[in-house]
Each structure stands twice: as structure tokens, then as C-alpha cells.
């Protein structure tokens, strides 16, 4: 990220953030050219790029922690198409 502490959409000060002139309310209607290079959208919320990064890390960790689908669904069987069906429907 190009900017770790500054807000993409904001004005004033070291962090481009001012409680009295928040992003989206008049007269502030401007933001940075490349939001994906910023971590903070408006000084309070993360940008889409940061949210995507966090979601990817969480999903990857979740998938790495699941050793086997059978451990999650011991009463189910996985068919050749890798679809889950309860044993009673097989």
C-alpha cells in the first residue's frame, strides 16, 4: 500500500481526516485517484483492497484448518462428483 495511515477520501491534517468534514458530506466530494493503494477509505473504514486482503487470509486459514470434509460431515458420503449426500439419500 502506498498510504498506510492517510485516508483516501478526506481532508486535512497528517492523516487526511477531519471529524467535521467527513467523506461524502458537502463540501467534501473528492477522494484519491487510486483507492487500492490506500488502507483507509475515510479514516474509519478500510478500503475494498484491504477488505479483500483480510478476506483472502481468513478464507485461506480456514481452508488450511479443514483437514478433511469427512471430519466435518461424518454422517455424509462424498460421491464421485464430490457432492455431499446424506447416507439415507444414496
Amino acid at each position: 500500500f502506498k498510504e498506510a495511515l492517510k485516508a483516501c477520501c478526506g481532508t486535512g491534517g497528517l492523516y487526511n481526516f477531519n471529524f467535521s468534514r467527513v467523506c461524502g458530506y458537502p463540501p467534501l466530494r473528492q477522494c484519491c485517484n487510486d483507492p487500492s493503494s490506500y488502507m483507509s477509505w475515510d479514516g474509519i473504514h478500510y478500503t475494498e483492497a484491504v477488505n479483500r486482503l483480510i478476506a483472502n487470509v481468513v478464507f485461506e486459514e480456514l481452508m488450511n484448518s479443514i483437514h478433511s470434509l469427512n471430519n466435518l460431515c461424518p454422517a455424509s458420503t462424498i460421491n464421485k462428483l464430490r457432492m455431499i449426500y446424506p447416507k439415507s439419500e444414496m
Side-chain angles (χ1 to χ4, degrees), residues 18-63:
N18 184 334
F19 273 114
S20 63
R21 296 185 67 198
V22 294
C23 181
Y25 292 99
L28 184 60
R29 295 176 188 256
Q30 62 189 23
C31 68
C32 62
N33 290 331
D34 183 14
S36 66
S37 65
Y38 284 70
M39 291 186 74
S40 176
W41 170 248
D42 58 3
I44 299 171
H45 303 95
Y46 289 130
T47 59
E48 183 178 335
V50 173
N51 286 328
R52 185 180 305 112
L53 178 66
I54 292 169
N56 286 338
V57 169
V58 169
F59 183 73
E60 184 176 326
E61 288 297 317
L62 176 66
M63 294 310 293

Side-chain angles (χ1 to χ4, degrees), residues 56-75:
N56 286 338
V57 169
V58 169
F59 183 73
E60 184 176 326
E61 288 297 317
L62 176 66
M63 294 310 293
N64 288 336
S65 70
I66 299 172
H67 300 291
S68 170
L69 191 55
N70 290 330
N71 292 339
L72 289 177
C73 306

